[in-house]
Amino acid sequence: MFVLREVEGLTTAETAEALSLSEDVVKTRLHRARAMLRTALARDGRHPRELLRFGREQCDRVAAAVMARVQETAAGAVSGAKRRDSASAPS
């Protein structure tokens, strides 16, 4: 229930249809799931907002690594295309 609504972004109606339940049951179970999650996090001494904290440094490193890889791939594709073009050009 929680995953379908909160992670996958389905509407209450879509979730109800997917699980063959009424919309009222979906709403009730989602409310209970949120409460259970809050309780479990509180037991661990964490506030739910900690889960949403943006890990800027780690995210920046990951994004930089991904972009470097994209640029390497793009540069390789461009140089490969140039080699193919020069090889196929008439002499």
Side-chain angles (χ1 to χ4, degrees):
M1 189 74 52
F2 184 84
V3 171
L4 291 176
R5 289 282 289 122
E6 300 298 329
V7 177
E8 297 296 327
L10 270 62
T11 65
T12 303
E14 291 168 334
T15 304
E17 184 178 336
L19 299 174
S20 300
L21 299 170
S22 72
E23 289 186 46
D24 287 336
V25 170
V26 169
K27 291 175 186 178
T28 300
R29 289 186 184 176
L30 180 60
H31 177 76
R32 288 179 185 162
R34 287 177 180 151
M36 290 170 64
L37 181 57
R38 275 195 289 292
T39 300
L41 290 171
R43 255 195 319 264
D44 290 343
R46 294 184 292 174
H47 189 277
R49 291 182 192 197
E50 288 182 38
L51 295 175
L52 302 175
R53 186 175 299 151
F54 184 71
R56 182 180 171 103
E57 295 82 19
Q58 181 181 2
C59 291
D60 287 347
R61 282 194 307 271
V62 170
V66 168
M67 292 309 296
R69 186 72 180 255
V70 167
Q71 289 172 346
E72 289 170 10
T73 303
V78 168
S79 67
K82 286 181 182 177
R83 281 194 304 269
R84 282 192 304 275
D85 288 346
S86 64
S88 63
S91 326

